[in-house]
Amino acid sequence: MSNTTSNPVVDIHTHMYPPSYISLLSNRTSVPYIHQPSDPKADPRLIILDSDDDPSRPKSSRGRPVDSTYSSFNKKREFMKVHGITCSVISLANPWLDFLEPESALRTAVGINDDLERACSENNASAEYSDLKLYAFGSLPLSAPAKDIVSEIQRLKTLPHVKGVIMGTTGLGKGLDDPALDDIYAALSSTKTIVFLHPHYGLPAEAFGGPSVVARYGHVLPLAMGFPLETTIAVSRMYLAGVFDRHPKLEFLLAHSGGTLPFLAGRIESCVAHEREFIANGGQTQGPQRSIWDVLHSNLYLDAVIYGQPGLKAALEAAGSVDRIMFGTDHPFFPPLGDEEGAKWLSVESNKGVIGDSFPNDEEARRKVLGGNAVRVLGLDL
Amino acid sequence: MSNTTSNPVVDIHTHMYPPSYISLLSNRTSVPYIHQPSDPKADPRLIILDSDDDPSRPKSSRGRPVDSTYSSFNKKREFMKVHGITCSVISLANPWLDFLEPESALRTAVGINDDLERACSENNASAEYSDLKLYAFGSLPLSAPAKDIVSEIQRLKTLPHVKGVIMGTTGLGKGLDDPALDDIYAALSSTKTIVFLHPHYGLPAEAFGGPSVVARYGHVLPLAMGFPLETTIAVSRMYLAGVFDRHPKLEFLLAHSGGTLPFLAGRIESCVAHEREFIANGGQTQGPQRSIWDVLHSNLYLDAVIYGQPGLKAALEAAGSVDRIMFGTDHPFFPPLGDEEGAKWLSVESNKGVIGDSFPNDEEARRKVLGGNAVRVLGLDL
């Protein structure tokens, strides 16, 4: 029995801009788009935020460079080998497919999802990569009519290597508490499709003190604080709107260990319990009917991309069980700042170290978080 | 030896609008102000946010009612008795004194702080309240010239019942990473004045999806998520700007168990380690020189106002020691929705319960968090 089968290390938080997606973005001229510089040695530039698309700068210096670690399956496999990862569940990186024209969105989504399915299928059938398995989270055409979104949810269920979908926090444009999402949530529930919820610069710069404050500290404020809060707000709005009451089988996997939900769940529960708006017969809104802890224990999974033991402890405690936490890397983001080819990444080693330190005497718990849970929850065939 | 002395329960997060502050706000007509309704049976209305001051509504329904639990020392003592609290370290509720005219700010601050000192002094000298001690955090005239702020920091040190200062997240108006605060931080350090850092609706409604989304859920989004993130951003900006490098003795007590800092500290550390802006000789900004964990272990204290065990565990783990966590209630906020006179408050019992559950077999740890730490750190004479 190979190491892959007996003791898999599964990375459930690992992104790519696969070639079909690079091509899609390269054919666009408005955000999000990829600019291919005339200098063949220069990396393409990815412009995904309006604030990146500064017309006073040449396109060759807007946005961020996308080198081959973003688009190459070989680079993904190299990264997996270096870190002892035996299976990656690949998802598109933001902004996914949220920007597509409604009429063509379904067709484009089918193409991108089929490409991912094919790449995983070819990889897993290859003798060369027998210890490196690939699966994927699909992307939904959220700008399309609801029937198209539902149709793609149902179709994805027939693709053997697609094990769920990745979704941002905007939903159909109005957030995840939008009642118009009920049909989508119903389709996700009935097909048992898990949603990997991921943030995408959803907080305005004013939340941090304005653009000049943000610029002072590079990417730290939006990434370290904005991303986690965006996820927390998104899932809390779902909770407060009763989405988990109406769809008790809905399953979400929350990026970055739930953002800050494990830490704030008690405060959310207390604020709900003290909110006059939610009083029966008095308030304008009926409050959530289930406790946030119940939702954490029944509907939510958390990745272990948290980089610190206090955070992982809170995640474990809030999830109610070690069975609901899954290892991830956030590759290809947070690469080492140096250029040591083949060296281990600090960001990955730190998350692995935190898992090891949290269960010094419990190999079974480590095994679950590092891969066993992902195999069970996503139904991976390793 | 009385129970007060041997096993004190100290509430370090407990607010008041004492009579002198009520009077100050009642003499104002722009935000923040108090509207005294013509109906003598109606409670005064407190309007502290621009969004509360809706000119289309009568003043008698703007903002929130301030009943006597906000202003009465007797009500504070009743609350303490009901919950077995033997000492309260009272602070002004937001927005403190941040709005004062610069020329008169110092004079007003002196008056308000002296009133608090007098109330505590009279209480502690009274035989009637021998088991109910009061201390206070002072408020600073932050809109005044720096020399006035420094002078009040130095004067507060001479008041025997003032044991630190409460501060919001705006500082002099530009946030707590403002270099203009260096003289203030130096004065706080040299006088060993601890700062109780408290949020005040600092996040824009857009962070939650806009005003209509916020309104849908009463106060839940700004209170449950906005407050904690505001604190986290404020202290992180201080950290990133090197404030704790330049002022290694500065001590802050963070409201709501640090907002979300204990959960996000690892992610902040990782984002700093991967931030090109902070590379020596390359970036525009020098990054922080100390690890966030070192700052947590040396400069920060956390209250235990967290309402959940996952949060308290993360706070304890991040603080590095049970010696840095202190019980608080957030009184008079989060009162029971019912009207049972003399009943225990859910919000308080929940935080007390979490402390008990976190140390089921460690009475010494419970004793420290419930009061021992506050006595030691603030130098209370009980």
Side-chain angles (χ1 to χ4, degrees), chain A residues 177 217 219 223 259 263 275, chain B residues 177 217 219 223 259 263 267 275:
Chain A
D177 53 357
Y217 308 114
H219 299 87
L223 284 183
F263 193 75
E275 178 52 59
Chain B
D177 54 357
Y217 307 114
H219 299 86
L223 283 183
F263 193 75
R267 188 168 170 87
E275 178 52 60

Side-chain angles (χ1 to χ4, degrees), chain A residues 2-5 72-81 85-88 90 118-135 161 381-382:
Chain A
S2 78
N3 184 51
T4 311
T5 317
S72 156
F73 287 94
N74 278 333
K75 290 279 184 182
K76 183 68 80 187
R77 284 184 285 252
E78 279 172 28
F79 168 81
M80 291 168 68
K81 273 186 213 158
I85 294 164
T86 48
C87 175
S88 288
I90 293 166
R118 189 177 315 115
C120 296
S121 173
E122 287 174 7
N123 175 87
N124 292 10
S126 157
E128 193 181 349
Y129 312 129
S130 62
D131 271 356
L132 299 171
K133 299 300 180 195
L134 298 182
Y135 286 92
H161 297 85
D381 181 15
L382 297 186

Side-chain angles (χ1 to χ4, degrees), chain A residues 116-197:
Chain A
L116 261 181
E117 166 64 26
R118 189 177 315 115
C120 296
S121 173
E122 287 174 7
N123 175 87
N124 292 10
S126 157
E128 193 181 349
Y129 312 129
S130 62
D131 271 356
L132 299 171
K133 299 300 180 195
L134 298 182
Y135 286 92
F137 290 125
S139 298
L140 295 179
L142 290 172
S143 55
K147 68 170 177 42
D148 287 0
I149 308 173
V150 169
S151 123
E152 185 59 0
I153 291 169
Q154 289 166 342
R155 196 189 73 88
L156 287 175
K157 211 59 199 176
T158 68
L159 304 186
H161 297 85
V162 173
K163 297 300 186 183
V165 295
I166 187 167
M167 204 187 269
T169 62
T170 51
L172 307 176
K174 294 182 180 171
L176 299 183
D177 53 357
D178 182 356
L181 278 165
D182 269 326
D183 289 348
I184 315 300
Y185 290 141
L188 292 165
S189 290
S190 66
T191 54
K192 296 190 171 137
T193 301
I194 195 168
V195 178
F196 179 29
L197 177 63

Side-chain angles (χ1 to χ4, degrees), chain A residues 296-318:
Chain A
L296 273 157
H297 300 168
S298 312
N299 301 87
L300 303 180
Y301 297 91
L302 310 173
D303 75 22
V305 181
I306 183 74
Y307 312 94
Q309 213 166 358
L312 189 63
K313 285 211 173 162
L316 282 159
E317 189 83 16

